[in-house]
Amino acid sequence: MPLNLVVVSAIAYVALLFAVAFWAEGAARRGRARWLRGPLIYTLSLSIYCTAWTFYGAVGTAARTGLEFVTIYLGPTLVMVGWWALLRKIVRIGQVQRITSIADMISSRYGKSTALGGLVTAMAVVGTAPYIALQLQSVTLSFAALAGPAQASLNDTALIVAIGLAVFTILFGTRNLDVNERHNGIVTAIALEAVVKLVALMAVGAFVVWGIAGGPSQTFELIEAAPIATWELQPGRWLGLTMLSAAAFLCLPRMFQVMVVENSDERHLATASWAFPSYLFALSLFVVPIAAVGLQVMPAGSNPDLFVLTIPLAQEQDALAMLAFLGGFSSATSMVIVACIALATMMSNHVIVPLWLAMREQGATVSGDVRHVVIGARRASIVGLLALGYVYYRFTGGGAFLASIGLISFCGVAQILPALLGGIFWRGATRAGAGAGLILGFAVWTWTLFLPSFGGGVAVSAATMAEGPMGFDWLRPHALFGISGLDPLLHAFFWSMSLNTLAFIAGSLLSKATAIERVQGAAMVNVFRFGSGARGWTPATVEAEDLLMMAQRILGGREAQRLFRAEAVAQGKRGFLPDVTPDFLTHLERQLAGSVGAATAHAMVGQITGGLVVSVEELMRVADETAQIMEYSARLEAQSEELSRTAAQLREANEKLTALSIQKDAFLSQISHELRTPMTSIRSFSEILRDGGDMTPEQRSRFSGVIHDEAQRLTRLLDDLLDLGVLENGQVSLRLETVPLSGIIDRSLSASGAVTRMAVARDPAREQVFIETDPDRLSQVFINLIGNAVKYCQAPDPRLDIRVRHAGAGLDIDFVDNGAGIPRESQDVIFEKFARVGDPDAAGGAGLGLAICREIVHRLGGTISYLPGQDGAAFRVHVPLRQNLSAGLAAQ
Amino acid sequence: MSDGKRVLLIEDEPNIIEAVRFILSRDGWRVSTHADGADAVDAVRARAPDLVILDVMLPDRSGYDILADLRADESMRELPVLVLTARGQQKDRDLALRLGATEFMVKPFSNQALLEAVRLIAAPSTEAPQ
């Protein structure tokens, strides 16, 4: 067949796909052709599971290993039919949490972990690269088979195919950024390709059965005769491969993309659960006949992987061969496109954007800014992925069997399964467990399957393969822990999944989940308890009135109405309710954000526009904002409390000042009385003496004496007043010495003249204690107390007890007389200035003496108090044995 | 001269008592003293003096209370009372006069002024018979 025809056909086919994708996207945007988002297209889109590997490789596998190829269909079929509930749960979670990829799923479940998202992305990229290489290889091989190997270099063809696929994927996969990451155009194009695949394979099958073999019965005879029928089934390998394909079906990024992310209604799953297995059945119907007939009619040594193509060619059925080529081409391109879109989303969301955000100095960014980065990141990812696939293709030399490359990939992505299933069924699963399982499983896969797949001596040396790294033979890639003789694939699958699961469970049990992990765990495990799944929403269904009502509550009536009316005018509408356009929603959200914060505004608009379920992350952000607002209001509250406290303090201070002013009046009045009394005597007697008249010399002398005494009394009073003033202002300086207490008491007794007037009982032994104090000042206190006893003790045989005892870090010195004592009601006030015992207008008070005593004792770091309940008047002076500066200061 | 009229001095300061006693005695008054506030009213009733000189700041009882009690007693309503106090503010004077003090003098006093005040307030009863 001429090369040009093949190239033109391929290009024409791609152009058709372009047209379909473009049309479907437009129709979806305009809300038309609803069947485009119906269960049929959904089911057909799932067929990206069947890649070129299935299209060509199934026949090859059948030709080489009999019915083993069935396992690849059996796994997904069992999942679709038997574990439909699991798929529904994953789809529901995907809808509710707005999951964008398998990496996002794992990351979301384990507390929005960027690290896990990145890890899964890395695993998916490494696991998918061989798969892309596989598609390139199949397209290249089919191209060569159709056009003849001499016509073009295989490597050049592969490169051109890779570039072409990159362009197509970029054009349709990154045209716009949708929150839900849905791509209606691509999905429709893929559905069309699914039909082409099926039709092509069935056409070839029909041709083989009826055109070559001559009917079903002859075909069965051929099958009976072919070696296919005699291959023994290995139950272990069957079971392993079925499990592997089932696991891969759930974990492949591209399957997650079409099954969960592109799903617009979870009811479509119900249709797909029977329709997709039927599709698989139809696709596999003619695999064995084609293989059997191919083995029969094709020359020995021809590649059974290409029977689908080479049989029609050999029979000179060029049109059929072209159809078969397009079928294989469809299988390859649809897989590559969807895988690239899924992986590009993962790479941009979980690797590139987080890195870019981390590198920027400020975290907050303009949304348009991020948009450019995201789109750029996706385009670069797509190019990178295809480049990686091409490199892998070149490395493996394009020689490996199609099926074996596919299985290596399957096993790699299957490592995600424990974290995925554990995450949605076990609330105890933790980030640490998931990370440990993923890393260990992936490491084992890399060592036992991926690196050896490059062939002898490329990535792992032959010596290492045979003897293990550095002589550790239990680490031999194909015989871990010394268990040899297993099929390498099953060996890798068994060990990687076992160790992965073990590490996952152990890690989860040993580590503690964070708050967001627990929240996400509960949300995913119990996803069916939380309402019905989200349906897609269209802005057209949103009532502008609802939005206005909400906006009024937040912005206030006038401002909200102004906003809406301005928009209505801008749209050229009458009235004040504008059409709800995405632009208007964005604008409104920004306005609201000014009042309630961005996350809250987004959540509110989302709620009203319907269907948008608020994610945990958004709720957390809402909570953050609320907390900030509450903190602000708490600050205001605190300030207002502070103000009222200050006001109360001012009031109190004012009351104190008033009270002080009253006290001052009373004090002045008291002083005036205390001063006037001696002055009265002085004046009166001096007038008597001055006026002369008859007086005896004794009288004259006595009157002069009174004048003298009263003048002395006045002086003493003034001295006391000044002394007290100095003491109260804290201006007194103490002259500290360490002296025996007995000396101070001796001095005080003799100065007060008590010994001659009353019996004094002392305790000489206890008085022999040294204290650090100001002896003059302490003695002044003692003189005052002893003097009071002398003055006021009216007992017939007056007596004074002076008792000393240690109390804490100081001494108690008690002065107890046997007089009448001080009445209970006066005991509280005797230390006040001019406190008088009895009626406030009555005279005869203790004057300033005790007030001075109290000030002095405080300066000395001690206390003075009246001891009630003794025989007579009893005062206790407590002074510290040692002075320390802080105590003295504290006393001020 | 006082014709031997009796003055009761209610005062607790010994030196002031001595001075007032000397001044009034020399003028012919018979001076008796009482130093305690508590039973001062009884003392006045018992001694029935022609004139009372009353201090305000006494032990146990205020001079104002004593004055109020005296005025409350029918027999002593007209008794001349000279309030002699060291509390010399206008409000003290007002209070004393309102309570029925016949005269109000502030310590320290001039001997001559005291003598004249005593003579003046005792006069009605001394001059009426003439």
Side-chain angles (χ1 to χ4, degrees), chain A residues 232-408:
Chain A
E232 277 180 39
L233 292 181
Q234 294 171 281
R237 188 166 162 86
W238 259 68
L239 187 67
L241 288 179
T242 306
M243 281 171 60
L244 180 59
S245 59
F249 182 70
L250 288 169
C251 296
L252 280 167
R254 66 175 196 276
M255 289 316 294
F256 196 91
Q257 178 77 26
V258 290
M259 193 154 54
V260 180
V261 180
E262 305 282 358
N263 179 297
S264 58
D265 188 335
E266 74 183 44
R267 283 171 302 188
H268 294 165
L269 261 185
T271 310
S273 69
W274 59 264
F276 183 62
S278 308
Y279 180 91
L280 291 180
F281 178 76
L283 208 59
S284 59
L285 196 59
F286 291 104
V287 167
V288 174
I290 294 172
V293 171
L295 286 174
Q296 185 76 26
V297 300
M298 296 302 288
S302 50
N303 187 353
D305 277 336
L306 290 173
F307 277 173
V308 176
L309 199 58
T310 50
I311 292 173
L313 275 178
Q315 301 292 321
E316 302 198 328
Q317 296 287 332
D318 281 3
L320 187 62
M322 179 58 78
L323 182 62
F325 168 74
L326 289 181
F329 189 68
S330 292
S331 311
T333 51
S334 57
M335 177 272 160
V336 172
I337 289 164
V338 177
C340 281
I341 289 173
L343 285 172
T345 304
M346 286 159 68
M347 284 178 75
S348 72
N349 288 6
H350 297 282
V351 180
I352 299 173
V353 172
L355 283 178
W356 179 74
L357 285 177
M359 282 187 301
R360 285 177 61 100
E361 281 180 11
Q362 76 278 30
T365 47
V366 190
S367 65
D369 222 5
V370 181
R371 209 184 148 79
H372 283 120
V373 173
V374 170
I375 291 197
R378 293 197 180 171
R379 290 181 177 160
S381 302
I382 288 168
V383 171
L385 280 166
L386 282 161
L388 208 59
Y390 179 72
V391 168
Y392 187 89
Y393 164 78
R394 289 296 301 275
F395 255 99
T396 53
F401 297 137
L402 293 184
S404 60
I405 300 183
L407 289 173
I408 290 168

Side-chain angles (χ1 to χ4, degrees), chain A residues 876-888:
Chain A
R876 165 166 296 172
V877 176
H878 175 88
V879 282
L881 281 168
R882 296 272 168 278
Q883 293 291 325
N884 70 55
L885 195 60
S886 61

Side-chain angles (χ1 to χ4, degrees), chain A residues 546-611:
Chain A
D546 292 342
L547 285 172
L548 178 59
M549 275 167 65
M550 177 191 68
Q552 280 179 337
R553 277 187 208 151
I554 293 164
L555 301 173
R558 183 179 301 183
E559 176 64 19
Q561 282 165 20
R562 193 194 57 74
L563 185 71
F564 276 64
R565 194 176 301 118
E567 178 68 18
V569 168
Q571 290 178 1
K573 290 196 67 170
R574 288 168 180 279
F576 61 93
L577 284 181
D579 286 336
V580 180
T581 61
D583 282 350
F584 177 56
L585 283 179
T586 313
H587 179 57
L588 177 64
E589 192 179 310
R590 246 201 320 274
Q591 294 291 318
L592 295 179
S595 299
V596 293
T600 314
H602 183 66
M604 286 175 136
V605 172
Q607 284 289 342
I608 294 226
T609 52

